[in-house]
Amino acid sequence: TLAILGGADIITVHLREDRRHIQDRDVKLLRDVVFTKLNLEMSSAPEIVKIALEIKPEQVTLVPEKRQEVTTEGGLNVVSQKKALADVVKKFKDAGILVSLFIDPEEDQISATKDVGAQYIELHTGNYANARDVIVIRKTIEKLQTGRKIAQNLGLHVNAGHGLTYQNVGLLVESLDIEELHIGHSIVSRSVFVGIQKAVSEMKEIIFNHGLQKQ
């Protein structure tokens, strides 16, 4: 609730198969209190799909999962599992739930996302977030821009996220015309010092100010 009061337009949580981040009960409680958009990050495992269909978030974002990773690293390989993903996507669409796939800005992955029926993509911004050299940063932004254009030409909605911080989000906002930014770790870390409401409002202010600069 405090995050929403701070200006959060969407609340994203990741219910992993190993329940490392949150528990089933947490998602159910959030469904009762989140009056904006609830986005459930998840794998396509049948158990998790069943829970999501019962809870009915406004949106699900399908992501890859590896037990040895600290957090999701890299985009979902849609090309290699189109049939299985198409079946999962159909279940959610039939239930009136929006579907997004977390993918790298690669043309084949974007096209495959369209093929399986998802309405959204979330572009993986990890390479941008990890880049330190100015030239590399520019190249990662150009790749994201190309991915965004391909997706929008296919009629897909475009979000982005992963590794975004108070320091690097501004340039991305100025460079990439998308619908939503999904930012978690940086805001939660900042909230330890200033509280979640202020941490969110500070991030929203940065996004808003840089959005004005590109107009």
Side-chain angles (χ1 to χ4, degrees), residues 78 81-83 85-87 89-90 93 101 111-118:
V78 187
Q81 46 187 326
K82 285 175 69 171
K83 175 63 170 63
L85 286 172
D87 291 342
V89 170
K90 184 177 185 305
K93 291 177 74 174
L101 303 188
S111 296
T113 298
K114 176 67 175 180
D115 292 341
V116 302

Side-chain angles (χ1 to χ4, degrees), residues 15-51:
L15 183 65
R16 293 180 62 105
E17 287 186 76
D18 58 16
R19 306 306 198 271
R20 185 190 310 171
H21 291 172
I22 61 171
Q23 305 300 308
D24 302 33
R25 179 175 179 271
D26 300 322
V27 186
K28 293 175 182 176
L29 289 172
L30 283 169
R31 176 66 290 174
D32 291 336
V33 300
V34 172
F35 53 85
T36 56
K37 185 178 184 182
L38 179 62
N39 173 41
L40 182 62
E41 282 191 357
M42 52 179 283
S43 73
S44 57
E47 175 200 8
I48 305 298
V49 171
K50 182 175 182 291
I51 292 171

Side-chain angles (χ1 to χ4, degrees), residues 157-210:
H157 299 273
V158 183
N159 302 327
H162 195 80
L164 299 178
T165 68
Y166 293 86
Q167 289 72 40
N168 66 23
V169 72
L171 177 60
L172 193 70
V173 170
E174 293 176 17
S175 307
L176 199 62
D177 185 16
I178 56 172
E179 295 186 24
E180 296 174 353
L181 289 173
H182 295 169
I183 307 170
H185 185 269
S186 183
I187 293 175
V188 172
S189 298
R190 176 67 175 156
S191 73
V192 173
F193 301 99
V194 301
I196 190 68
Q197 183 173 343
K198 184 170 175 55
V200 170
S201 66
E202 289 176 347
M203 181 64 78
K204 283 294 294 283
E205 183 177 4
I206 293 171
I207 292 171
F208 178 76
N209 288 339
H210 283 273

Side-chain angles (χ1 to χ4, degrees), residues 89-139:
V89 170
K90 184 177 185 305
K91 289 179 181 179
F92 285 124
K93 291 177 74 174
D94 288 347
I97 299 170
L98 297 172
V99 184
S100 176
L101 303 188
F102 179 73
I103 61 174
D104 293 315
E106 304 288 347
E107 184 171 4
D108 58 344
Q109 300 297 341
I110 297 168
S111 296
T113 298
K114 176 67 175 180
D115 292 341
V116 302
Q119 301 105 318
Y120 283 80
I121 62 168
E122 180 177 342
L123 291 174
H124 174 227
T125 55
N127 289 334
Y128 165 75
N130 292 329
R132 295 294 177 266
D133 181 82
V134 174
I135 295 176
V136 176
I137 291 172
R138 186 172 68 246
K139 287 182 178 179

